[in-house]
Amino acid sequence: MHRSFVRLLFICGMCLGPLHAQIEVSGSADFEVATGGEDSRFVTNEINNEFRRPHLSIRELNLFLFSEIGGDFFFNARLQWDIWGSGRLNPLRITLASLSWEPAEGMVALSVGRFVNPFGLYPRRQLSSESSFINAPLAYGYFINVSDTRGFWPAAGKAGQYGSEDVGLTMNYFGGYATGALFNWVIIPEGLDLALAVTNAAPASQQDYTNLQNLGATLRVGFQPAIFWQQGISVSHGSFMRREAVNSNFDRLEQYRQTLLGTDIIIAYAYFELSGELLYALWDVPASDKNGFQIGPDGNLQAYRLSNWSAYVDTRLELPFLPGSYIAGRYERMVFDKYTPPPGSSLSASNPWDESLIRYSLALGYRLARPVLVKFAFSEQIYDDRNLKRDDWTMRLLLNVSL
Amino acid sequence: MRKIFFFIFFSFLLSTLLYARETKVYGRVYIPAVKKKERTFRGRMYRNRLSSRRSGKKASGLRRSVLEDVIILAYPLSFKPKVRPLKRVSLLQKNARFVPRVLPVTPGTSVAFINLDRFYHNVFSISPGARFDIGRRPTGVVVTKTISITGEVRLFCDIHSQMNATILSVNTPYFTRANKNGVYLLKNLPPGKYRMEAYHPDLGTVSEVITVTENSAERLDFNLNR
């Protein structure tokens, strides 16, 4: 079933599209010059250590497809070719493939397939043409000590590369998509809306294939108390672990779940915008150390309850005397709470269960032409543990062309 | 009573003479099967869900004809016309689209941008010589910008990426808009030689030279399908 559902939907959509309507195609390309500190790693600052010296790369190529299949049915797809993880171009992927039913005079919509994750704000602003910054927020881009094969694993992300080794998960999947079914209801236009998704896993899962034992549900309520103020509240709960050789001796991995709560805000006026998100995660997980899973006296996996939160605030000022330009600042915080280890746990030394940190970012942008955006961004991370002097600042210059 | 009779009689005589002197250029515009140029599809998946498709449907142009975006221009070749700035010109933002999508003006015209939606809109242009950004504006707020250059000024909304419009600033006082069927009528052109142009922001321009004589009605069709 590996990715077969999304591929099948993509092929069906491509076949159905030409029967009734033309397929509209557009694309975007991101070219980047990036550099980072000596301790740069994709899982902490999105720059692979191998490429920490200034280098030019094709960061992302996207092909967007849209077709009005007929009447109220639409097909959307995104083909993505990027350097996520390794710093080298990954194989071409279908990151978005959804079939939607949206009646013209209705207030509801239904989508099936792989769609934009309704949780929070960042997934809707993930395209570089839409976001002020280049890095994803910490909640989406910083990998934590929870693995989808080992549960709580203090060694996650300490070594190895994303894609080839187990480096843990982010609080919410940085890709910004989820697979399943999505129901949207605009209750009051420009006032109140609701999105409910049933997905193949919790939002932290990076997997795009269907595992029917893993289920997740996400609810987001968005409302606009005033024209200058948009607010969203999101709740999600679901399983996220996947079967691998390392956990093949254990059953019922779907009992380990992530609960994610969040709120997002946009306040804007004239040339100024303030936006941000607050996410709080609860993890019910097993735990592993270098010798394998922690087994309780009853012979079952020991259960841990971990929690952490992350927040970011973006401020963006468009410069009226230089149309097309902006300056933006971001403050981010990620905090890992202390937990109660089960008796006999060998992981008590890792408490809190990961390194809390602050990240500051600054970004400048200038639109050279309607489809051409240039962005410069700098970020620096400071860890609560002052002995942990990780040199993982980043500096990036990005050219985005969207056609 | 006699005075009233003479007044009506001379008014009728004057209007008949004026009508008799009127020159007309009329015709029809043909365009290719219209491809949607608005990039609605990326916005559909990533958009803020607070907006329903109900407003988007109106915005998608199903009730408007793309032929209404065609502007017919007459540039005199045998005399130099007096070109004055237009008065009371406005460009609306309604149902997440610009109305009209193409606005013909003359240089020096002040265009009032009016947001009629219940959500924020922005207007910005990065056209050379006419770069401006009026920022986010709530419902009903009017911001005026003077268009001093000649040519196309492409407008966008920073918040709704599918929104776009064009201000066409032209050095002639003689222009009109085609109706939804593609039919146009230009009246009261002074006799002379003209370069006639049909302009569409996505399909470009076609032109032809004609001579207009007194009391004449010239038919000139344009085919933008090339």
Side-chain angles (χ1 to χ4, degrees), chain A residues 24 26 64 66 68 74 76 98 102 104-105 124 177 184 186 189-190 193 224 227-228 230 268-271 273 318 323 366-367 369-370 403, chain B residues 36 39 41-42 44-54 57 63 118-120 124-126 131-136 138-139 156 158 161:
Chain A
E24 296 178 26
S26 76
F64 298 95
F66 171 75
E68 285 194 27
F74 304 90
N76 280 276
S98 72
E102 281 190 66
E105 297 301 321
R124 292 200 310 275
Y177 296 100
N184 281 292
V186 179
E190 320 309 332
D193 82 303
Q224 186 167 313
I227 193 167
F228 58 84
Q230 291 181 17
Y269 189 76
Y271 299 96
E273 182 188 274
E318 289 155 18
Y366 185 66
R367 198 168 280 286
R370 172 60 177 161
L403 300 172
Chain B
K36 267 203 270 180
R39 295 182 302 159
F41 43 103
R42 232 182 304 163
R44 187 182 294 281
M45 285 308 291
Y46 298 91
R47 74 176 182 216
N48 186 338
R49 291 297 317 176
L50 281 165
S51 304
S52 72
R53 197 182 152 219
R54 184 178 287 185
K57 186 87 171 178
R63 295 180 185 178
R118 285 191 293 166
F119 41 87
Y120 272 135
F124 77 93
S125 159
I126 45 179
R131 284 185 86 106
F132 62 85
D133 181 354
I134 67 170
R136 294 170 186 78
T139 313
F156 304 98
D158 199 22
S161 57

Side-chain angles (χ1 to χ4, degrees), chain B residues 55-56 59 93-98 117 119 121 160 162-163:
Chain B
S55 57
Q93 288 169 296
K94 193 177 177 186
N95 294 327
R97 73 174 305 135
F98 286 103
D117 279 327
F119 41 87
H121 279 304
H160 305 95
Q162 80 280 9
M163 289 177 66

Side-chain angles (χ1 to χ4, degrees), chain B:
Chain B
M1 188 64 192
R2 206 169 166 179
K3 283 179 183 173
I4 292 171
F5 173 76
F6 276 110
F7 176 75
I8 292 170
F9 175 77
F10 281 111
S11 297
F12 178 75
L13 190 66
L14 189 65
S15 63
T16 307
L17 285 171
L18 282 174
Y19 182 77
R21 285 176 56 85
E22 188 179 76
T23 57
K24 291 184 202 168
V25 178
Y26 67 98
R28 190 165 192 155
V29 179
Y30 299 94
I31 63 171
V34 178
K35 292 174 186 167
K36 267 203 270 180
K37 285 282 181 182
E38 295 170 8
R39 295 182 302 159
T40 56
F41 43 103
R42 232 182 304 163
R44 187 182 294 281
M45 285 308 291
Y46 298 91
R47 74 176 182 216
N48 186 338
R49 291 297 317 176
L50 281 165
S51 304
S52 72
R53 197 182 152 219
R54 184 178 287 185
S55 57
K57 186 87 171 178
K58 287 174 190 166
S60 68
L62 294 183
R63 295 180 185 178
R64 282 183 67 251
S65 166
V66 181
L67 286 159
E68 291 172 88
D69 297 338
V70 177
I71 305 297
I72 308 296
L73 305 145
Y75 290 99
L77 299 175
S78 49
F79 66 97
K80 193 171 167 60
K82 201 164 191 176
V83 183
R84 293 195 183 92
L86 305 181
K87 287 176 182 168
R88 289 186 293 277
V89 176
S90 59
L91 190 60
L92 310 179
Q93 288 169 296
K94 193 177 177 186
N95 294 327
R97 73 174 305 135
F98 286 103
V99 181
R101 189 171 166 239
V102 185
L103 180 68
V105 300
T106 51
T109 299
S110 293
V111 179
F113 298 104
I114 309 170
N115 178 8
L116 296 180
D117 279 327
R118 285 191 293 166
F119 41 87
Y120 272 135
H121 279 304
N122 155 275
V123 182
F124 77 93
S125 159
I126 45 179
S127 299
R131 284 185 86 106
F132 62 85
D133 181 354
I134 67 170
R136 294 170 186 78
R137 289 160 305 103
T139 313
V141 170
V142 181
V143 177
T144 302
K145 282 279 167 191
T146 301
I147 307 300
S148 50
I149 64 162
T150 308
E152 288 179 323
V153 178
R154 299 267 184 175
L155 304 174
F156 304 98
C157 172
D158 199 22
I159 303 159
H160 305 95
S161 57
Q162 80 280 9
M163 289 177 66
N164 65 79
T166 302
I167 294 177
L168 183 66
S169 179
V170 291
N171 256 328
T172 175
Y174 312 117
F175 52 79
T176 189
R177 181 188 302 277
N179 70 12
K180 63 182 178 183
N181 299 315
V183 175
Y184 74 91
L185 172 64
L186 257 175
K187 292 194 289 189
N188 301 326
L189 289 180
K193 205 172 177 183
Y194 290 86
R195 189 179 80 245
M196 301 291 298
E197 279 187 5
Y199 166 88
H200 186 279
D202 302 326
L203 302 171
T205 303
V206 290
S207 64
E208 210 154 313
V209 175
I210 63 164
T211 302
V212 176
T213 54
E214 262 187 60
N215 306 329
S216 69
E218 299 284 338
R219 175 167 182 155
L220 180 62
D221 292 347
F222 290 100
N223 187 359
L224 286 159
N225 194 6
R226 52 179 169 168

Side-chain angles (χ1 to χ4, degrees), chain A residues 97-354:
Chain A
S98 72
L99 184 65
S100 302
W101 171 74
E102 281 190 66
E105 297 301 321
M107 308 293 272
V108 295
L110 191 64
S111 300
V112 292
R114 191 151 177 80
F115 43 79
V116 176
N117 185 354
F119 194 104
L121 178 64
Y122 173 73
R124 292 200 310 275
R125 293 185 161 192
Q126 59 179 289
L127 301 178
S128 62
S129 57
E130 306 295 323
S131 67
S132 305
F133 295 85
I134 301 174
N135 276 15
L138 283 174
Y140 295 85
Y142 187 85
F143 287 68
I144 59 179
N145 287 343
V146 172
S147 151
D148 57 0
T149 57
R150 294 177 168 92
F152 171 37
W153 190 44
K158 297 288 187 293
Q161 274 198 1
Y162 172 83
S164 52
E165 278 95 9
D166 190 347
V167 292
L169 296 170
T170 53
M171 284 178 75
N172 199 346
Y173 173 47
F174 58 91
Y177 296 100
T179 306
L182 171 68
F183 170 72
N184 281 292
W185 180 18
V186 179
I187 301 164
I188 303 169
E190 320 309 332
L192 179 66
D193 82 303
L194 179 147
L196 176 65
V198 178
T199 55
N200 68 330
S205 175
Q206 299 163 9
Q207 305 305 317
D208 55 5
Y209 58 83
T210 302
N211 176 352
L212 292 178
Q213 288 170 323
N214 274 359
L215 274 177
T218 299
L219 174 71
R220 182 181 188 276
V221 177
F223 50 99
Q224 186 167 313
I227 193 167
F228 58 84
W229 177 13
Q230 291 181 17
Q231 187 83 44
I233 294 171
S234 307
V235 182
S236 182
H237 181 73
S239 311
F240 65 94
M241 291 192 70
R242 64 189 166 91
R243 190 155 296 286
E244 272 288 332
V246 70
N247 58 32
S248 59
N249 293 333
F250 303 100
D251 295 328
R252 297 185 61 238
L253 292 176
E254 62 277 8
Q255 68 181 301
Y256 301 107
R257 296 193 172 106
Q258 180 203 29
T259 303
L260 193 59
L261 310 173
T263 183
D264 56 88
I265 189 168
I266 301 174
I267 291 177
Y269 189 76
Y271 299 96
F272 177 76
E273 182 188 274
L274 184 145
S275 60
E277 276 186 82
L278 169 65
L279 290 90
Y280 176 77
L282 272 176
W283 307 84
D284 290 305
V285 285
S288 298
D289 62 12
K290 60 186 176 188
N291 298 316
F293 280 97
Q294 303 265 295
I295 310 293
D298 57 358
N300 293 323
L301 291 172
Q302 280 189 325
Y304 285 65
R305 170 163 276 205
L306 311 174
S307 64
N308 73 310
W309 62 268
S310 183
Y312 69 88
V313 178
D314 289 358
T315 53
R316 173 183 160 121
L317 181 67
E318 289 155 18
L319 307 175
F321 54 85
L322 193 59
S325 65
Y326 69 83
I327 180 166
R330 171 182 283 174
Y331 170 81
E332 294 181 80
R333 181 82 169 117
M334 182 173 268
V335 173
F336 299 88
D337 301 325
K338 289 203 165 195
Y339 65 97
T340 307
S345 170
S346 66
L347 301 173
S348 305
S350 303
N351 203 354
W353 52 281
D354 208 332

